[in-house]
Amino acid sequence: MSGRLSAGTSPNTLLRGRTIHPGRAEGEALVSRMGISFFGGVDPETGIVVEKGHDLEGRCVAGRVLVFPAGKGSTVGSYTLYRLSKAGKAPAAILNADCEPITAVGCILAGIPCVDRLPIDRIAAGVRVRVDGDDGTAEIVTG
Amino acid sequence: MILTSEEQSMISGGLGKSSQTAMQILAALGRIYGAERLIPVRSVQIAGVSYDNLGDAGLEWLAEMADGGGYVRVPATLNPAGMDLENWRALGIPADFAEPQLRVIEAFTRMGVTPTCTCTPYLAGNLPAFGDSVAWAESSAVCYANSVIGARTNREGGPSALAAALTGRTPEYGMHLEANRRPGVTVEVRARLGDTADFGALGKVIGDRLETAGQKPIPWIAGPDSPGTEQLKSLCASIATFGGAAMFHWRNVTPEAGKYDPPDEHIAVTERELRAARDSLTDASAAETDFVSLGCPHLTLAEVERIAGLLDGRRVAKEFWITTSRPVKREADRRGYSEIIERSGAKFAVDTCCVVAPIRGRFQAMATDSAKACYYAASKNRFRTRFLDFDAAVMEALAG
């Protein structure tokens, strides 16, 4: 079901997934191969990943299309996403392999478009991604 | 997932901003867990009440939900707050904690939530019936509702429980479905079980085994036939803390145990393992212990009476917190137990507990009869711990 490519003429790659929270956004991909614990793992005022040893340690999630397999850790992490959005430091969108309730609820509280069931290993760090949370798609912009 | 027309009008914002957010949360959880529909709930227990856990982010969101017109559709109670809502000064809670904590409670109250702050809602006026669908947070209460009462609830988080309260609904998955309540492992208790501490140790042994096994079958316990409310709530708290269990069955004790044959997969809990679990929860000596706390989960009236009996006419030598719900405290006042307890120098910490109060760094070692309290004392508050029988913990408070 997931991972079908578009047959259109656009050079862009369209990845199809499942809507977790609607909304549209575009940004540069910030890609992790690790789970993210927003509570304790991301500074809610700056958006900087602070978890020791994390592959995004020291990177800022603000305005980026944040790509990671799944959330982890305390359920209070939902509130961290909300706090990030209030501070203007939230990711533009979140793409997961398998979304879990902490991230899903956080995206709803914070109004962050979120899509899961995507082949996220096809998304390279730094590429531009156009997320359509209404359709449950992510388009890698190459053109 | 299929939504009714009323649910659709909620999700499209027709019934206000807060109902919309609430319905979005439930719909997303339903999608993630493959629910086919939402079902009505009879009661809700909301976690995420202590400002120590919520922080400003949680407080802001709750205030926004109240501002957005959110109002409960079913009875809802709260988990313990970070302080006694009336007596916080005497417990050494700073004013800059009390002020935002009271704003958290105010936001919930504006939404029609009953501000009874307890982990034992079933002892304080929020008691579902057998077979009721409910949406409860607080892992020990979830386990008690599913196992002992036979109500049906998943392990909700703070926002999803509030969402259930504001809509009167929850997605139908997990523990709401009969097939997921079937036991997967028989646990034969070959040890003698005494008081609450032994049941906490039993919960740790079983919980640790479930955790190590990786998959988490529902235990079907064959043990003594007569644990009481106090022992069962201790077991629920411990098995949920150490094993993430939402439910167990206990032969001849819990209401759904008789529906099933004992599962073929079989483990035994021996006296030696129970002893080892008890020992593993103690790393402080009596001399190092400067804090005693009883009431995790919150005390029943019978337990408060027992403490009063042991403290009558004596003086405590250590900081001693007695944590319970407001309704139990009021009844203890009426019966004169509170006066006896307070005359001894022990302190009631009502509406709160040693797990969620902001007491990190205030003490070096805590004595308690609760395995769950030992776990959080070590991990959250960095206290060393002393795991004792109930009466022995009271004696520890009296000993200089």
Side-chain angles (χ1 to χ4, degrees):
Chain A
M1 191 174 80
S2 63
R4 279 183 288 124
L5 304 184
S6 69
T9 52
S10 161
N12 295 347
T13 305
L14 186 69
L15 306 175
R16 290 185 188 281
R18 176 176 74 164
T19 300
I20 295 293
H21 190 60
R24 291 178 187 165
E26 184 174 330
E28 195 181 307
L30 182 65
V31 180
S32 172
R33 302 298 167 205
M34 299 169 77
I36 293 181
S37 168
F38 288 98
F39 181 70
V42 180
D43 184 306
E45 300 302 327
T46 64
I48 292 171
V49 177
V50 293
E51 184 180 328
K52 293 276 169 253
H54 199 278
D55 62 6
L56 294 183
E57 188 180 350
R59 307 291 297 277
C60 181
V61 302
R64 311 291 287 274
V65 173
L66 184 59
V67 183
F68 59 103
K72 62 172 184 175
S74 166
T75 55
V76 182
S78 300
Y79 293 126
T80 305
L81 279 166
Y82 175 82
R83 184 81 179 163
L84 284 167
S85 79
K86 289 285 161 182
K89 299 293 180 187
I94 288 180
L95 303 178
N96 284 162
D98 280 295
C99 192
E100 44 56 61
I102 303 167
T103 304
V105 170
C107 286
I108 293 161
L109 307 193
I112 300 169
C114 180
V115 178
D116 83 336
R117 301 265 173 94
L118 286 165
I120 57 167
D121 51 1
R122 299 179 64 105
I123 305 171
V127 299
R128 280 203 84 69
V129 181
R130 198 174 288 150
V131 177
D132 187 334
D134 304 8
D135 282 352
T137 60
E139 191 175 8
I140 300 169
V141 182
T142 49
Chain B
M1 196 167 59
I2 296 160
L3 299 181
T4 65
S5 58
E6 190 187 21
E7 289 161 1
Q8 272 165 2
S9 68
M10 283 189 195
I11 207 164
S12 59
L15 294 176
K17 178 82 178 67
S18 298
S19 295
Q20 182 179 29
T21 304
M23 193 51 78
Q24 285 173 335
I25 290 171
L26 300 180
L29 293 175
R31 266 199 305 280
I32 290 171
Y33 290 112
E36 289 179 7
R37 56 176 186 156
L38 301 178
I39 53 171
V41 291
R42 282 256 169 85
S43 101
V44 170
Q45 164 76 4
I46 300 170
V49 179
S50 172
Y51 177 70
D52 201 33
N53 296 337
L54 281 172
D56 289 330
L59 168 56
E60 267 176 49
W61 183 69
L62 291 169
E64 191 178 298
M65 290 296 278
D67 293 343
Y71 204 83
V72 298
R73 290 185 159 219
V74 291
T77 45
L78 292 175
N79 238 27
M83 62 185 199
D84 187 311
L85 300 179
E86 296 175 7
N87 192 33
W88 51 271
R89 282 185 191 84
L91 295 168
I93 304 294
D96 63 358
F97 181 89
E99 190 271 329
Q101 178 64 77
L102 290 171
R103 283 200 286 140
V104 168
I105 302 300
E106 186 268 340
F108 280 122
T109 308
R110 267 200 288 152
M111 289 187 271
V113 176
T114 306
T116 300
C117 298
T118 182
C119 49
T120 57
Y122 49 88
L123 296 174
N126 185 356
L127 179 63
F130 178 82
D132 277 356
S133 295
V134 302
W136 280 19
E138 167 49 34
S139 64
S140 75
V142 165
C143 189
Y144 195 95
N146 279 317
S147 312
V148 182
I149 299 170
R152 299 179 170 212
T153 178
N154 287 315
R155 287 160 57 100
E156 302 293 344
S160 67
L162 180 62
L166 301 184
T167 60
R169 288 162 170 81
T170 196
E172 187 182 40
Y173 70 93
M175 300 306 293
H176 294 288
L177 301 172
E178 184 79 24
N180 298 326
R181 302 172 71 84
R182 173 169 286 280
V185 59
T186 301
V187 178
E188 187 196 339
V189 181
R190 288 190 196 147
R192 275 171 296 116
L193 296 173
D195 205 356
T196 43
D198 277 344
F199 282 77
L202 177 65
K204 175 164 164 52
V205 173
I206 300 173
D208 285 346
R209 292 264 197 106
L210 297 179
E211 199 64 42
T212 323
Q215 33 100 329
K216 293 184 183 171
I218 293 176
W220 191 94
I221 302 171
D225 286 352
S226 54
T229 300
E230 289 78 8
Q231 283 87 3
L232 289 167
K233 80 175 161 66
S234 174
L235 173 62
C236 287
S238 179
I239 200 168
T241 296
F242 294 98
M247 184 173 196
F248 61 83
H249 301 282
W250 189 309
R251 185 187 62 194
N252 296 334
V253 173
T254 63
E256 291 170 64
K259 279 188 188 175
Y260 306 102
D261 291 328
D264 293 338
E265 195 185 331
H266 181 280
I267 59 173
V269 176
T270 63
E271 195 82 44
R272 200 161 57 87
E273 282 173 293
L274 202 69
R275 174 62 47 194
R278 289 193 62 137
D279 291 346
S280 74
L281 293 168
T282 293
D283 63 358
S285 67
E288 289 167 313
T289 302
D290 54 355
F291 180 45
V292 179
S293 185
L294 287 175
C296 171
H298 273 168
L299 298 175
T300 63
L301 187 62
E303 287 174 315
V304 175
E305 180 185 11
R306 192 154 132 199
I307 295 171
L310 292 164
L311 292 181
D312 196 3
R314 309 169 81 172
R315 286 290 302 174
V316 299
K318 299 186 173 81
E319 180 89 356
F320 182 12
W321 284 16
I322 291 157
T323 63
T324 190
S325 62
R326 188 65 56 185
V328 166
K329 168 66 164 48
R330 292 221 174 93
E331 188 57 21
D333 292 348
R334 206 175 65 81
R335 298 195 189 191
Y337 306 150
S338 304
E339 199 191 330
I340 293 169
I341 288 169
E342 283 166 348
R343 216 186 303 129
S344 78
K347 295 171 182 169
F348 276 96
V350 184
D351 320 308
T352 186
C353 74
C354 65
V355 173
V356 295
I359 53 174
R360 186 169 174 176
R362 254 178 77 180
F363 307 104
Q364 55 174 354
M366 181 183 86
T368 180
D369 73 327
S370 165
K372 174 179 181 173
C374 286
Y375 175 84
Y376 284 103
S379 64
K380 182 168 181 275
N381 290 325
R382 309 289 155 86
F383 301 155
R384 273 168 291 145
T385 55
R386 228 166 121 65
F387 184 56
L388 301 171
D389 280 332
F390 189 92
D391 292 5
V394 178
M395 294 306 156
E396 187 94 348
L398 290 166

